[in-house]
Amino acid sequence: MKIGFGSDHGGIDLKLQLMEALAEEGYSCFDYGSFEGERVDYPDYAKKIGLALRAKDIDLGLLFCGTGIGISIAANKIPGVYCANVSEEFSARMAKEHNNANCLALGGRTLGRELALSIVRTFLEAEFQGDRHKKRLDKIKKMEDTTWEK
Ligand code: RB5
């Protein structure tokens, strides 16, 4: 399992903490920036992770900004990225079981290390349930392929 990590300055500390913990647990972890804690724009890092997901360079994206909101909105603009902004375990489990998300967005200013780790572990241990959920995901896929302009 290859996990790509991306953050802005609001999420970098939590990103580094989770990357260290998950690497210790045996996951292959790749840091797509930001790196220095300088003020940056979260769409740039959502894009890096989105492109890595599309290229299948990674199996899962973990994105971090102050709240997880902006970076998830940006990531979900990239076709093939299904990013869930979650802040507790139940939603993390649903994000896998029902939504088959391939990316999680977490808030560096809203979550502590232990809760964030528990959220990610819950997601990693869950399995997509298919069936009726698959039909709904197919509809989302169709929306990606639609030209919305008149
Ligand atoms: C950056 O200050 C902040 O706006 C960003 O990290 C994020 O919370 C946006 O959703």
Side-chain angles (χ1 to χ4, degrees), residues 4 7 22 29 32 53 59 66 73 89 95 102 108 117 119 129 132:
S7 72
L22 293 168
C29 297
Y32 285 77
L53 280 168
D59 305 301
I73 292 173
E89 291 90 341
N102 56 10
L117 257 181
I119 287 168
Q129 288 179 350
R132 66 187 191 280

Side-chain angles (χ1 to χ4, degrees), residues 49-60:
I49 290 296
L51 295 180
L53 280 168
R54 282 179 64 87
K56 300 194 190 316
D57 292 337
I58 55 174
D59 305 301
L60 171 68

Side-chain angles (χ1 to χ4, degrees), residues 29-108:
C29 297
F30 302 92
D31 193 351
Y32 285 77
S34 58
F35 297 109
E36 307 293 342
E38 79 280 20
R39 223 166 260 284
V40 294
D41 299 328
Y42 56 79
D44 297 335
Y45 299 92
K47 184 174 166 188
K48 286 177 196 289
I49 290 296
L51 295 180
L53 280 168
R54 282 179 64 87
K56 300 194 190 316
D57 292 337
I58 55 174
D59 305 301
L60 171 68
L62 291 183
L63 290 171
F64 304 81
C65 66
T67 56
I69 297 171
I71 208 158
S72 65
I73 292 173
N76 281 318
K77 295 297 177 194
I78 300 174
V81 176
Y82 308 103
C83 184
N85 179 202
V86 291
S87 52
E88 31 71 32
E89 291 90 341
F90 177 76
S91 297
R93 187 157 60 80
M94 289 300 108
K96 182 54 142 177
E97 290 186 357
H98 289 195
N99 311 117
N100 203 22
N102 56 10
C103 187
L104 290 183
L106 303 167

